Amino acid sequence: MNDHLPFMQRALYLARLGAGSVAPNPLVGAVLVHEGRIIGEGWHRQYGQAHAEVNCINSVKPEDQYKIKESTIYVTLEPCAHFGKTPPCAALIIQHKIPKVVIACVDTFSEVAGKGIQQLRDAGIAIELGVLEQEARWLNRRFFTFHEKKRPYVLLKWAESSDGFIAPENGRKVMLSNTLVQRYVHKMRHEEAAIMVGYNTVLADDPFLTDRFFGTQQPLRIVYDPEDALPAQLHLKTDGHKTIIYNHKRAAENGNCSYISLEQTGEDPVKSILDDLHQRGINSLIVEGGTKTLETFISSGLWDEAHIIKTPVIIGTGTPAPGLGRARRADVITLADNTIELFENTLQQLLP
């Protein structure tokens, strides 16, 4: 097992390079090893394009290609066994007569779910399963949540002052986070599929909710506007980037906006919104606020991790920051005079 670790760690590193480009597909890396030397490596770079195993095998230099049938391939996720936007990778491994496959974890997507492993075994290929399994499942927690829990992976995010407020009274504008944290937030937007705010935040801030640093692909913007009362001239309605507005009044398409009417159930809208996003193939969602929207998700229990930005700014009085409730602090990131505390919802953990 220990001999496998460096190569699987390399495969996991490569897999991460696809963040922000492959959703709703998983992040996958692959490394081809001959007698302790890497002769090929690759990762899934772009949704709809070649998978990691294809890029790995294609990267082998001409002078090393005869070694492929004597090598071991390390893959962070079970090779696919079905025709999707690309041919199945299990068949490719069989075609190249690779004698051994080391796999971090099983793909629980119903179209795969052990079928790729079975095809490889039926072809006489040796399989070793479970190398860095927990690390691989954590890397693809969005993908696994989407398929196993039938909803997007939910990340809560807010910034708060040193005295516990997220905004001052009377609509006064205060910049809480520093420029490094602002880059961090835009990186989150780049890597996640959708971002959501509530009615009051849109009305007060008229936000763009776009990534302006890391690429051209933008997250789907989500707003809960129960009475369909937001004015027409807002950025979210006029800038051309896709926005979904959940409400209880109408279903319509208007410019870049889709209006989705939710049933009036008397309950909070979180489950209905997450169900609809799942149907649309959205596998991750950032919830940015405000306090009412964040607390609705917190009270529902339907969240997975929280990024709480602590700043030295003093507001004095205003809108209190949400209370997170039961959670485990997983990490702390310091960016100049701001810190970002990362919490995990212990009730929603995918890992054993």
Side-chain angles (χ1 to χ4, degrees):
M1 172 73 80
N2 287 340
D3 292 344
H4 295 318
L5 294 183
F7 302 120
M8 190 60 79
Q9 286 167 344
R10 176 63 180 170
L12 287 167
Y13 169 82
L14 293 169
R16 293 186 188 96
L17 299 178
S21 301
V22 304
N25 282 356
L27 299 165
V28 183
V31 173
L32 190 66
V33 178
H34 180 264
E35 294 181 354
R37 182 175 73 90
I38 294 175
I39 62 170
E41 58 183 30
W43 67 94
H44 186 27
R45 294 171 178 261
Q46 186 70 46
Y47 176 70
Q49 296 182 11
H51 287 187
E53 297 91 330
V54 176
N55 290 329
C56 177
I57 291 170
N58 287 345
S59 75
V60 178
K61 294 178 181 178
E63 62 267 27
D64 284 334
Q65 288 186 0
Y66 77 94
K67 300 174 183 175
I68 294 175
K69 63 179 182 296
E70 303 168 357
S71 299
T72 297
I73 190 167
Y74 292 79
V75 189
T76 59
L77 188 68
E78 174 185 1
C80 60
H82 66 293
F83 283 87
K85 290 187 176 293
T86 61
C89 293
L92 180 72
I93 292 170
I94 294 168
Q95 174 191 331
H96 282 273
K97 299 181 180 178
I98 297 172
K100 184 170 183 176
V101 182
V102 179
I103 301 167
C105 61
V106 173
D107 185 341
T108 55
F109 174 42
S110 60
E111 293 292 330
V112 186
K115 298 183 181 71
I117 291 171
Q118 192 58 52
Q119 284 185 15
L120 295 171
R121 283 178 170 151
D122 289 346
I125 293 171
I127 301 293
E128 188 155 343
L129 184 62
V131 176
L132 297 181
E133 179 179 11
Q134 290 197 0
E135 290 84 347
R137 279 186 62 84
W138 179 249
L139 175 67
N140 274 312
R141 56 197 182 277
R142 298 155 183 83
F143 177 80
F144 287 118
T145 295
F146 183 83
H147 289 292
E148 295 174 10
K149 299 188 176 182
K150 310 302 180 188
R151 63 165 177 83
Y153 187 86
V154 176
L155 306 95
L156 311 180
K157 193 278 294 181
W158 71 84
E160 62 182 62
S161 65
S162 61
D163 50 352
F165 298 99
I166 67 168
E169 289 182 331
N170 304 321
R172 182 167 56 91
K173 297 290 192 294
V174 172
M175 181 60 69
L176 291 172
S177 56
N178 63 33
T179 55
L180 292 174
V181 169
Q182 290 163 29
R183 291 286 182 121
Y184 177 94
V185 170
H186 281 260
K187 182 69 169 172
M188 286 182 69
R189 293 178 180 180
H190 172 69
E191 294 184 352
E192 309 304 340
I195 180 171
M196 179 177 178
V197 292
Y199 171 88
N200 290 329
T201 296
V202 177
L203 203 59
D205 298 341
D206 191 16
F208 287 93
L209 302 183
T210 53
D211 159 34
R212 296 186 285 279
F213 294 107
F214 294 97
T216 57
Q217 183 172 304
Q218 297 296 339
L220 175 66
R221 285 95 57 95
I222 311 294
V223 181
Y224 178 53
D225 176 15
E227 299 301 317
D228 189 24
L230 287 170
Q233 69 272 19
L234 296 167
H235 291 129
L236 294 180
K237 293 188 175 186
T238 60
D239 68 1
H241 296 302
K242 183 68 175 173
T243 302
I244 292 180
I245 299 176
Y246 290 102
N247 65 92
H248 299 294
K249 296 294 184 180
R250 63 167 169 156
E253 297 289 330
N254 187 359
N256 62 299
C257 293
S258 297
Y259 294 82
I260 308 298
S261 181
L262 302 175
E263 291 185 14
Q264 291 275 17
T265 63
E267 300 177 358
D268 70 65
V270 170
K271 188 175 187 309
S272 297
I273 290 172
L274 294 182
D275 285 346
D276 186 73
L277 291 176
H278 181 266
Q279 291 298 316
R280 295 171 185 274
I282 301 301
N283 74 349
S284 65
L285 173 68
I286 307 168
V287 181
E288 281 206 358
T291 294
K292 183 178 179 181
T293 301
L294 287 161
E295 287 182 341
T296 301
F297 274 83
I298 292 167
S299 64
S300 76
L302 295 172
W303 65 277
D304 299 285
E305 64 184 72
H307 298 232
I308 304 175
I309 301 158
K310 300 292 184 72
T311 76
V313 176
I314 297 173
I315 288 179
T317 183
T319 304
L324 196 56
R326 182 175 176 180
R328 183 183 75 86
R329 191 166 79 166
D331 200 1
V332 178
I333 300 169
T334 300
L335 295 174
D337 61 349
N338 288 188
T339 60
I340 306 168
E341 296 185 357
L342 276 64
F343 291 86
E344 298 168 9
N345 185 351
T346 54
L347 299 179
Q348 291 289 345
Q349 277 295 326
L350 281 167
L351 300 179

